[in-house]
Amino acid sequence: MKTTRLIGASTFAVAALVLSACGGGSSAGTTSSDTGTAGASSSAATGGKNITLMVGVKGDPFYVSMECGAKEAAAAAGATLTTQGPDKFDATLQNPLLDAVAASKPDALLVAPNDVKASVGPLKKIQDAGSKVVLVDTVVDDASIGVSRIATDNKLGGVKAAEALQTLGVAAKGKVLVISTNPGVSSVDARVDGFKEKAAELGYTLVSDTQYSNNEAAKAAQIMSAALAKDPDIAGVFATNLFTAQGVATGVKQAGQSGKVKVVGFDAGPDQIKQLEAGDVQALVAQKPFDIGVQGVEQAIAALSGGSVTANIQTESLVVTKDNMAQPDVAKYIYKSSC
């Protein structure tokens, strides 16, 4: 993975104005526009363009926070934003929505594709029809798709998860487990790769191949319970996203091993923070989805106005613990449930 990029000055300018207004919240078909003085020059340049944000799954606090950033950036630019998303992170559910987007012919599409291969066809159709496509959070294998690709440095996030287990006291030769969502999702696959590489460096023993929850908390809990029944001396677990982390914490708690088995989750939604406060999860690797939403709109506007477009942007992540979660520079990146 490439070295994490610094967020551009224009991103900070927008984010500084609107970060306090972001509270999360997402629903299919919501729109946002602004014709006030803020962003008037951008509005003139882009002529009130229509932008669609296709999130990976509707209602996920990560994507809700991304929508908050995208809404505010679109309003500042005088553009109209429409948000859609499938009820589950599943390409068979998202692709029909993308086909509908193709029919509506937006000026730009910000999209978190559900599969590196299965999402290619619909996105190529949209791009070939003239819409500017910006990939946010996840990507596809076809490098020709997307004028810009914006995502967390997910491999580095996986490295941070392994380092967090070490900080939490999991010693070398300790047994660890990785529970992910589905294979073929670019973001979580990179997190697994980063974690495994660092875990090997730290001398940890993986008790099994990566287990998959299908992005369902209940299934993650079942996997965790079964793993502990088979191997009760598991010392640490890395759960690669929000819903998986919810389920892992539940499984550990049901097994009566809360605190003994160190759990590091990825993402920092409201439920994860509650589990962190309760001691069911010991650390979270938080992404910065608000920033991704802001930058996604900025790159789309640049592409539409003939400005300079950055092909690849990697945003940062940070480790959240019970001890630092109240610090202002950490708390502002905790995901929200509504804008």
Side-chain angles (χ1 to χ4, degrees):
M1 301 284 289
K2 296 181 180 179
T3 303
T4 303
R5 294 174 180 263
L6 293 176
I7 299 170
S10 60
T11 300
F12 276 124
V14 175
L17 289 171
V18 301
L19 185 56
S20 62
C22 174
S26 176
S27 61
T30 59
T31 60
S32 172
S33 63
D34 189 316
T35 56
T37 56
S41 60
S42 294
S43 176
T46 55
K49 298 296 187 181
N50 292 314
I51 301 174
T52 295
L53 169 62
M54 178 66 69
V55 298
V57 61
K58 193 167 53 177
D60 183 328
F62 172 86
Y63 289 116
V64 168
S65 299
M66 181 189 293
E67 181 187 4
C68 292
K71 276 185 175 182
E72 297 296 346
T80 297
L81 182 80
T82 300
T83 303
Q84 301 182 40
D87 292 325
K88 292 179 65 177
F89 198 96
D90 185 336
T92 63
L93 299 179
Q94 189 186 56
N95 283 358
L97 298 178
L98 289 172
D99 289 337
V101 169
S104 69
K105 296 183 179 179
D107 296 298
L109 169 67
L110 275 58
V111 57
N114 278 183
D115 190 275
V116 293
K117 297 185 185 299
S119 301
V120 169
L123 292 180
K124 185 171 178 56
K125 181 179 179 181
I126 292 169
Q127 183 168 275
D128 288 349
S131 298
K132 301 298 184 183
V133 175
V134 177
L135 304 185
V136 288
D137 181 42
T138 52
V139 300
V140 291
D141 287 341
D142 188 337
S144 71
I145 294 176
V147 294
S148 181
R149 296 178 171 211
I150 307 166
T152 304
D153 187 337
N154 284 293
K155 188 169 184 179
L156 178 59
V159 169
K160 289 182 178 182
E163 292 173 340
L165 284 180
Q166 183 184 48
T167 301
L168 291 167
V170 177
K173 298 184 180 180
K175 294 183 178 180
V176 298
L177 176 66
V178 182
I179 301 179
S180 190
T181 59
N182 295 291
V185 179
S186 62
S187 56
V188 292
D189 285 351
R191 294 167 201 168
V192 171
D193 289 344
F195 178 84
K196 285 184 174 180
E197 288 181 12
K198 191 62 180 180
E201 182 183 322
L202 295 174
Y204 293 150
T205 300
L206 286 168
V207 297
S208 72
D209 292 335
T210 303
Q211 303 292 300
Y212 294 101
S213 70
N214 296 330
N215 205 33
E216 296 175 1
K219 185 166 184 178
Q222 293 171 358
I223 292 170
M224 191 69 245
S225 296
L228 286 171
K230 181 180 179 180
D231 208 330
D233 56 347
I234 291 173
V237 185
F238 173 42
T240 67
N241 85 328
L242 187 150
F243 294 117
T244 304
Q246 284 182 17
V248 166
T250 298
V252 170
K253 187 175 183 179
Q254 289 174 343
Q257 301 245 32
S258 292
K260 179 181 177 182
V261 177
K262 306 302 181 184
V263 179
V264 176
F266 213 98
D267 289 318
D271 288 340
Q272 283 66 58
I273 294 302
K274 289 178 183 178
Q275 290 176 323
L276 194 66
E277 292 173 328
D280 298 328
V281 170
Q282 284 68 49
L284 300 168
V285 181
Q287 304 181 76
K288 298 182 177 181
F290 184 92
D291 292 348
I292 295 174
V294 169
Q295 292 181 86
V297 170
E298 288 183 340
Q299 294 304 310
I301 294 297
L304 290 168
S305 61
S308 177
V309 178
T310 304
N312 291 283
I313 300 174
Q314 289 188 311
T315 59
E316 299 176 345
S317 58
L318 68 161
V319 176
V320 181
T321 65
K322 192 173 183 179
D323 292 336
N324 71 8
M325 60 184 290
Q327 297 174 10
D329 59 340
V330 175
K332 67 181 181 180
Y333 289 110
I334 293 172
Y335 310 166
K336 309 298 181 182
S337 58
S338 63
C339 291

